[in-house]
Amino acid sequence: ALDGLGAPGCKLLTDIFLLMPGTTKAAGSLTLPIPFPSDPKLTGANVFTQWALFDAKANRLGFVFSRGARGTLH
């Protein structure tokens, strides 16, 4: 929970292992390719992600956070 940092109701659901900045289009969408090594040992591995969006007016922290998402590498 990020209430104590000034973002009431927001939660950080993943480790901050990799930060990738991006800019949304006017409609609010963002495409961000994330390269993974072509290694057969990674087949079936779960990948977890969450987005943080800068919004200075949203709260004292200035960020809002998405729900978490999980994907599987094939």
Side-chain angles (χ1 to χ4, degrees):
L2 298 172
D3 299 46
L5 294 176
C10 293
K11 295 180 181 180
L12 184 62
L13 302 172
T14 63
D15 290 332
I16 302 176
F17 176 72
L18 177 64
L19 298 175
M20 298 181 74
T23 303
T24 59
K25 297 178 183 174
S29 64
L30 170 69
T31 301
L32 191 61
I34 302 172
F36 286 94
S38 181
D39 185 341
K41 292 183 275 186
L42 294 175
T43 299
N46 289 317
V47 178
F48 299 91
T49 186
Q50 182 180 21
W51 296 98
L53 180 66
F54 175 71
D55 185 348
K57 295 180 181 180
N59 51 45
R60 199 178 69 218
L61 184 61
F63 285 89
V64 292
F65 296 81
S66 71
R67 292 180 282 179
R70 180 185 74 175
T72 304
L73 299 179
H74 294 280

